């Protein structure tokens, strides 16, 4: 049953930041009849150059060059994007002024007439969200795939009649401002240190992830990684049904021998992947989570298999790039935290030349020590966090510096022997040297391609 919307005719609503999410929020708030204000950090000249057409189309009040209390306090409701830190002093002042501060999940809560599957976790969110969406699509459903993956949920709210089901990737930042958002199926893939520069502690980071489950109702489903102790740290008194995936402790989806065995509701289903080649453990864990999610929404064994077989892995995730002089090059640029790097290194028997570095997010790089000692023969470091990584690991492995991605790749080639693996798995954000992890991964692939051309 729908609840009363936060956005209603005459409501005074402010939108903080006019990015992709902000523009969608403005359109939806106007559709609901609200009076809308926009506040943006960009300098006025730049803001008008980039958003002038949108401002003219929507005719909203706006300010640029920073966010002011005087402008925003006139609102009853402030809609923030995931990138806005909820602990900013300005937001505390606005709360004191009586302004309610929420994100898109809180706005969407109770406004969706179709089933909702929501996926979170430190690593693998985009892959599993995309996979679930593709399985539903192959089963004939009109599926909306959005949230943190790139398309705001506001876009669904603007066109709800077009869809049969919603699949949303949700981040810890979004869950902090999620209100009473409650998916029909909530999936938690894994938890390892990430974004601690914002969350400040692992306890707060885990608590943010667990917000996915706290408002679920009886009959809804919780899916967690049973092998991950932090995923098992569920809040008390949950009313949803809990299902697990993994290799241990009698999971609902058992992983092993290149297959997944579903063991729920007194049934046993086998998903064999021999025809798809040998899959690594990370892929099998992602597949298991997706299978449990779509099975909970009625997809058949045949529909799931068809969706899995049609799915193509996303780029920048342990992506094979090339083999050159017997050395294999892999692009894992999406690995922006230590947990992802540990998972990537586990997929190789050893002899890895690891390329790492970038912008630190508050991670503890000492968590890499065991994996690096076991698998890495040389460590090539670049970017702002190179010194921190070296401090944590230099006693375990030879460390070589690089000032650019091209230099990192060339250094790795000079130090590699046949049978080695060169792995870009940075453990850091990309924004010191690149515009995104995708840009970083593409530069790695370009550098490897240049080596191939020179070798030819």
């Amino acid at each position: 049953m729908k609840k009363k919307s936060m956005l209603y005719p005459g409501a005074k609503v402010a939108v903080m930041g006019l990015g992709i999410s902000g523009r969608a929020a403005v359109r939806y708030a106007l559709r609901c009849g609200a009076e809308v204000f926009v506040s943006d950090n960009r300098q006025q000249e730049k803001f008008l150059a980039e958003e002038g057409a949108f401002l003219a189309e929507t005719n909203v009040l706006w300010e640029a060059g920073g966010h002011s209390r005087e402008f925003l306090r006139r609102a009853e409701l402030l809609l923030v994007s995931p990138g806005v830190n909820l602990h900013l002093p300005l937001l505390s002042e606005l709360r004191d002024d009586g302004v309610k501060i929420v994100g898109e999940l809180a706005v969407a809560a109770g406004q969706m007439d179709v089933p909702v599957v929501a996926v979170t976790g430190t690593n693998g969110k985009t892959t599993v969200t995309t996979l679930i969406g593709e399985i539903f699509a192959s089963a004939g459903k009109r599926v909306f795939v959005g949230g943190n993956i790139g398309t705001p949920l506001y876009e669904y709210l603007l066109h709800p009649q077009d869809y049969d089901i919603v699949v949303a990737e949700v981040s810890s930042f979004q869950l902090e401002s999620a209100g009473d958002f409650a998916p029909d199926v909530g999936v938690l893939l894994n938890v390892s240190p990430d974004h601690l520069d914002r969350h400040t502690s692992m306890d707060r980071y885990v608590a943010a992830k667990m917000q996915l489950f706290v408002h679920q109702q009886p009959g809804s489903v919780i899916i967690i990684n049973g092998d991950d102790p932090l995923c098992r740290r569920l809040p008390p008194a949950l009313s949803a049904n809990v299902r697990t995936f993994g290799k241990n402790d009698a999971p609902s989806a058992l992983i092993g021998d290149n297959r997944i065995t579903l063991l729920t509701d007194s049934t046993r289903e086998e998903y064999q992947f021999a025809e798809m080649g040998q899959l690594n453990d990370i892929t099998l864990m992602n597949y298991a989570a997706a299978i449990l999610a779509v099975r909970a929404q009625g997809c058949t064994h045949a529909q799931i298999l068809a969706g899995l077989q049609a799915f193509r892995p996303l780029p920048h995730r342990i992506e094979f790039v090339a083999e050159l002089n017997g050395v294999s090059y892999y692009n894992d640029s999406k690995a922006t935290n230590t947990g992802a790097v540990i998972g990537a290194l586990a997929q190789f028997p050893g002899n890895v030349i690891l390329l790492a570095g970038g912008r630190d997010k508050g991670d503890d790089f000492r968590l890499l020590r065991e994996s690096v000692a076991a698998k890495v023969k040389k460590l090539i470091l670049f970017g702002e966090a190179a010194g921190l990584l070296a401090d944590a690991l230099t006693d375990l492995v030879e460390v070589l510096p690089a000032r650019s991605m091209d230099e990192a790749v060339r250094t790795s080639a000079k130090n590699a022997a046949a049978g080695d693996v060169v792995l870009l798995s940075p453990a850091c954000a990309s924004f010191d040297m690149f515009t995104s992890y995708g840009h970083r991964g593409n530069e790695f692939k370009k550098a490897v391609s240049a080596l191939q051309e020179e070798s030819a």
Side-chain angles (χ1 to χ4, degrees):
M1 177 184 295
K2 274 193 175 183
K3 69 173 188 177
K4 183 179 178 182
S5 174
M6 292 182 178
L7 305 177
Y8 53 85
K12 296 182 182 297
V13 177
V15 175
M16 196 170 182
L18 201 57
I20 294 174
S21 176
R23 286 189 292 273
V26 169
R27 293 190 191 280
Y28 181 60
L30 291 173
R31 168 79 66 85
C32 294
E35 182 182 351
V36 181
F37 320 105
V38 169
S39 177
D40 196 274
N41 263 331
R42 284 169 283 183
Q43 292 303 310
Q44 181 169 314
E45 182 177 350
K46 179 178 175 64
F47 182 61
L48 286 173
E50 296 175 347
E51 307 293 353
F54 181 84
L55 296 172
E57 173 196 343
T58 55
N59 197 32
V60 295
L61 294 175
W62 57 271
E63 68 169 354
H67 309 299
S68 69
R69 182 178 183 181
E70 292 70 27
F71 182 82
L72 291 171
R73 69 190 299 178
R74 70 183 73 185
E76 307 163 41
L77 185 69
L78 174 60
L79 306 182
V80 296
S81 69
V84 175
N85 190 331
L86 298 181
H87 304 288
L88 291 173
L90 171 63
L91 298 189
S92 296
E93 294 170 357
L94 291 170
R95 290 186 191 97
D96 292 340
D97 293 332
V99 179
K100 186 174 183 178
I101 301 169
V102 299
E104 69 169 346
L105 294 180
V107 175
Q111 302 304 306
M112 294 181 281
D113 290 327
V114 299
V116 178
V117 178
V119 180
T120 195
T122 304
N123 301 302
K125 296 186 295 295
T126 300
T127 294
V128 174
T129 301
T130 303
L131 176 56
I132 290 171
E134 292 194 9
I135 294 173
F136 280 136
S138 70
K141 292 184 180 293
R142 300 175 302 163
V143 56
F144 176 90
V145 178
N148 192 60
I149 200 170
T151 305
L153 285 176
Y154 295 117
E155 296 291 351
Y156 165 82
L157 296 174
L158 285 165
H159 309 284
Q161 69 282 352
D162 294 343
Y163 303 100
D164 301 315
I165 195 162
V166 169
V167 183
E169 175 186 325
V170 295
S171 68
S172 58
F173 294 168
Q174 288 175 304
L175 287 166
E176 283 185 312
S177 58
D180 56 2
F181 174 74
D184 298 277
V185 179
V187 182
L188 177 57
L189 299 172
N190 46 65
V191 181
S192 60
D194 200 13
H195 301 301
L196 298 187
D197 51 343
R198 172 158 158 178
H199 291 295
T200 70
S201 73
M202 275 302 294
D203 284 343
R204 290 181 63 173
Y205 179 53
V206 173
K209 292 294 188 187
M210 292 302 169
Q211 281 298 118
L212 184 64
F213 306 130
V214 296
H215 296 290
Q216 285 183 295
Q217 300 300 307
S220 54
V221 176
I222 292 170
I223 296 170
I224 61 170
N225 183 338
D227 295 348
D228 188 326
L230 292 178
C231 286
R232 296 199 302 268
R233 197 192 293 179
L234 293 171
L238 295 175
S239 55
N241 300 313
V242 179
R243 298 174 186 172
T244 64
F245 59 92
K247 297 181 176 181
N248 307 304
D249 298 328
S252 307
L254 178 64
I255 295 163
D257 298 325
N258 215 36
R259 75 179 68 187
I260 296 169
T261 304
L262 215 60
L263 303 166
T264 58
D265 303 326
S266 302
T267 63
R268 182 184 181 93
E269 292 180 4
E270 294 282 350
Y271 294 85
Q272 300 267 8
F273 301 105
E275 295 181 0
M276 300 168 61
Q278 187 69 30
L279 302 181
N280 62 48
D281 288 346
I282 294 173
T283 300
L284 288 171
M285 294 290 270
N286 288 339
Y287 281 13
I291 289 169
L292 287 173
V294 298
R295 204 70 174 91
Q297 285 297 312
C299 285
T300 67
H301 182 270
Q303 289 169 336
I304 294 170
L305 271 180
L308 290 172
Q309 290 168 350
F311 179 69
R312 295 293 174 265
L314 302 179
H316 312 298
R317 295 153 173 87
I318 318 183
E319 174 190 13
F320 176 72
V321 176
E323 182 178 319
L324 183 60
N325 300 323
V327 178
S328 299
Y329 291 79
Y330 285 85
N331 165 31
D332 192 36
S333 182
K334 186 64 171 66
T336 60
N337 55 71
T338 54
V341 178
I342 291 167
L345 288 172
Q347 309 313 311
F348 300 99
N351 293 327
V352 174
I353 296 178
L354 178 64
L355 279 59
R359 177 159 292 171
D360 177 35
K361 297 192 292 179
D363 214 333
D364 179 2
F365 296 127
R366 293 184 62 83
L367 295 172
L368 295 171
R369 288 181 62 82
E370 181 178 351
S371 295
V372 166
K375 299 295 180 74
V376 176
K377 61 181 288 187
K378 291 184 188 291
L379 179 61
I380 300 174
L381 298 179
F382 54 86
E384 292 176 356
L388 294 173
L389 281 156
D391 289 344
L393 304 169
T394 192
D395 61 317
L396 302 176
V397 63
E398 182 182 359
V399 174
L400 302 171
R403 292 165 295 182
S404 67
M405 184 59 71
D406 185 70
E407 182 180 347
V409 170
R410 291 181 180 277
T411 301
S412 69
K414 290 176 183 177
N415 286 273
D420 287 353
V421 168
V422 173
L423 173 66
L424 170 66
S425 195
C428 296
S430 59
F431 303 117
D432 56 341
M433 298 168 64
F434 309 96
T435 58
S436 66
Y437 73 81
H439 179 210
R440 176 170 61 192
N442 287 334
E443 290 299 304
F444 174 78
K445 291 192 282 188
K446 282 170 59 178
V448 174
S449 179
L451 284 181
Q452 286 181 295
E453 292 175 7
E454 292 169 13
S455 177

